[in-house]
Amino acid sequence: MPKAVSRHLLSELAPDVAGRFGDGVAICVHTAFEQVEARWRAAQTDCASYGFQAYDWLATWQRTLGQRQGWEVLLVELTDADDRTLMLLPLGRRRKYGLRIAGFLGGEITDYNAPLLRADFDVSGFAALWPVIVRLLGGVDVFRARRMPQHIEGVANPMVALTGMRQTEQAHAATLTVGYEAFQKQRSAKMFADTRRQLRRLGELGTVQLLVDTPAPQRVEVVAAMARQKARRWNETGSRDLFAEEGYLAFYQHLAAHGLGGGAIVVSALYVDEHLVATHWGMCYGKRFYWLMPGYQDGEWARYSAGRILLDAVLRHCIDSGLEIFDLTVGDEAYKLQWADHSLLLYAGQQGHSLRGKLVVALDEAYRRLRAQARGNERLRGLVRRLRRWRTAASNR
């Protein structure tokens, strides 16, 4: 049974910090998703957030993957005097290499890590509030975060301004126009002409069926095919095959079957006769569509640009549905740059919150600086390679 939730008035926890916020601001730390489900779902309506902060996204992740990876749930909620949610931080903690490491829940499948944040909440004093939050978590050596967006749907994200955070990656997105023709005019005419040509070529092989949102009976088949296609591509490029690990396919199948409160899971497919040539598993949340898990068949099918044909069909549907953003998410793949017209800056970093944690962070940061300096120095590159082997061996003990 989860322990009872305690509500701590900020004026009692840290009187010197409380003055920067309104009267009656309080902090709760929930240790189970069920404790805060109703409030979380309400916060999805009242607060700025991305689809990755939806209750169903993170609760499903914790059930299928987080528990298996050793994550303890520590959901931090700030409330005002009227008991409205001002901020909800989906945090957790796990032990790794003997360290108590805190961070955002969501793991590798979450492209943007951020709080749910009320747009009118004054976060100018958040840096002073953060140590109070960490203390309430009950034992943290290191706090680590990655892929934190600079803004949360236009609202400044106070997490990126914390000590130790820096811009490390970017995501790409396309602003959708009122009509598809207007969208085409802003991009390469050659790309769209080639897409039409490839679609005609596919039609010469058999009956083409483009399903932007597959019906429920087909979803299991399409998601399983997506996983096979992604796994093949990851293995071809030497990347980590997530679907070879327990729990990952279960996450995508569960959400495809049960949906996402406040949004929708969209499973798309391109068939030629009975052949499932291209797939996509995505999410619609608010006015944004997330292009997340595309897959395509290799071999003879690879020459027909089936993945691009499916993307074009999904994007056209998003425009027809009145959505505003087609989010291509994290990564600088060439095809994303062809479709996108703006980027989202993402931040990462770490902080030490104990003597041991500060030492680990200091050593990690020294290693990072050494790697940066070694790019133009062969002797330093040799040292970095030796240190990397030592770090890998230490991690596997």
Side-chain angles (χ1 to χ4, degrees):
M1 289 288 293
K3 63 182 180 182
V5 179
S6 297
R7 184 173 183 270
H8 306 275
L9 283 172
L10 188 56
S11 58
E12 297 174 356
L13 283 174
D16 54 329
V17 175
R20 304 188 186 193
F21 300 90
D23 293 338
V25 170
I27 305 176
C28 300
V29 179
H30 307 272
T31 56
F33 277 85
E34 296 76 14
Q35 292 174 343
V36 72
E37 179 176 358
R39 298 182 62 82
W40 192 321
R41 294 190 187 280
Q44 289 179 209
T45 301
D46 299 334
C47 297
S49 66
Y50 291 106
F52 303 108
Q53 283 75 59
Y55 177 88
D56 291 314
W57 181 277
L58 289 171
T60 301
W61 175 84
Q62 178 64 15
R63 184 167 55 252
T64 56
L65 289 161
Q67 290 177 350
R68 185 173 286 109
Q69 295 172 8
W71 282 97
E72 172 191 2
V73 172
L74 297 169
L75 309 170
V76 180
E77 183 186 18
L78 270 70
T79 59
D80 65 8
D82 296 321
D83 200 30
R84 299 182 307 167
T85 300
L86 301 174
M87 175 186 282
L88 183 59
L89 278 162
L91 302 181
R93 177 179 55 208
R94 65 173 173 171
R95 287 188 175 271
K96 193 172 184 180
Y97 315 137
L99 292 171
R100 299 166 298 177
I101 300 174
F104 282 96
L105 301 175
E108 298 89 346
I109 54 94
T110 296
D111 281 36
Y112 307 149
N113 291 298
L116 294 90
L117 184 63
R118 195 173 182 88
D120 59 359
F121 177 40
D122 181 4
V123 294
S124 59
F126 183 78
L129 178 63
W130 177 242
V132 180
I133 292 174
V134 173
R135 190 167 69 245
L136 278 178
L137 297 182
V140 173
D141 294 310
V142 176
F143 172 76
R144 288 179 178 155
R146 61 193 286 272
R147 292 184 174 178
M148 296 190 300
Q150 185 178 27
H151 296 92
I152 307 166
E153 293 293 26
V155 179
N157 181 1
M159 297 291 291
V160 304
L162 293 176
T163 302
M165 305 301 147
R166 60 185 179 277
Q167 196 255 314
T168 55
E169 295 181 89
Q170 59 187 347
H172 300 282
T175 305
L176 298 180
T177 53
V178 173
Y180 180 69
E181 289 185 3
F183 185 87
Q184 286 181 302
K185 289 177 181 178
Q186 297 173 358
R187 285 156 183 85
S188 166
K190 182 178 180 299
M191 178 178 72
F192 291 101
D194 186 64
T195 301
R196 292 191 295 270
R197 181 180 67 85
Q198 297 285 42
L199 183 57
R200 287 195 298 272
R201 291 181 67 208
L202 276 182
E204 294 169 0
L205 301 178
T207 301
V208 175
Q209 188 179 20
L210 276 165
L211 300 175
V212 170
D213 195 13
T214 56
Q218 278 180 269
R219 286 193 161 208
V220 172
E221 173 195 23
V222 174
V223 174
M226 178 275 292
R228 290 193 300 272
Q229 292 167 353
K230 288 295 291 185
R232 185 206 76 242
R233 184 59 181 159
W234 283 331
N235 286 312
E236 288 173 351
T237 58
S239 302
R240 176 184 171 191
D241 178 6
L242 295 179
F243 289 118
E245 302 174 26
E246 189 176 356
Y248 283 93
L249 180 56
F251 170 84
Y252 291 98
Q253 288 285 23
H254 179 89
L255 281 181
H258 297 281
L260 183 86
I265 299 301
V266 182
V267 178
S268 307
L270 190 163
Y271 286 88
V272 179
D273 291 334
E274 74 280 7
H275 303 287
L276 184 46
V277 180
T279 59
H280 180 256
W281 190 103
M283 172 171 54
C284 181
Y285 190 84
K287 289 294 184 178
R288 185 179 295 260
F289 181 86
Y290 299 82
W291 182 258
L292 292 173
M293 296 292 283
Y296 60 89
Q297 204 64 25
D298 61 348
E300 291 298 312
W301 298 108
R303 67 179 68 179
Y304 295 98
S305 305
R308 189 173 72 216
I309 292 171
L310 185 58
L311 189 157
D312 183 79
V314 174
L315 185 142
R316 187 193 295 247
H317 177 79
C318 290
I319 290 175
D320 292 342
S321 301
L323 296 178
E324 296 176 0
I325 300 291
F326 192 87
D327 196 331
L328 293 146
T329 63
V330 179
D332 293 326
E333 294 93 331
Y335 84 90
K336 293 184 179 182
L337 303 180
Q338 291 179 313
W339 295 87
D341 62 5
H342 65 280
S343 301
L344 293 78
L345 299 182
L346 303 175
Y347 288 70
Q350 57 183 342
Q351 301 174 329
H353 288 279
S354 68
L355 183 59
R356 188 181 181 193
K358 290 175 182 177
L359 177 61
V360 167
V361 169
L363 290 172
D364 279 353
E365 292 301 305
Y367 176 72
R368 183 183 64 83
R369 289 192 295 270
L370 182 63
R371 285 185 62 189
Q373 294 170 8
R375 289 176 188 143
N377 186 308
E378 180 57 38
R379 291 183 64 184
L380 282 177
R381 282 202 296 272
L383 176 59
V384 168
R385 284 192 290 270
R386 289 193 296 274
L387 287 172
R388 185 185 297 122
R389 287 194 294 269
W390 176 82
R391 282 159 55 95
T392 302
S395 298
N396 291 330
R397 286 174 188 164

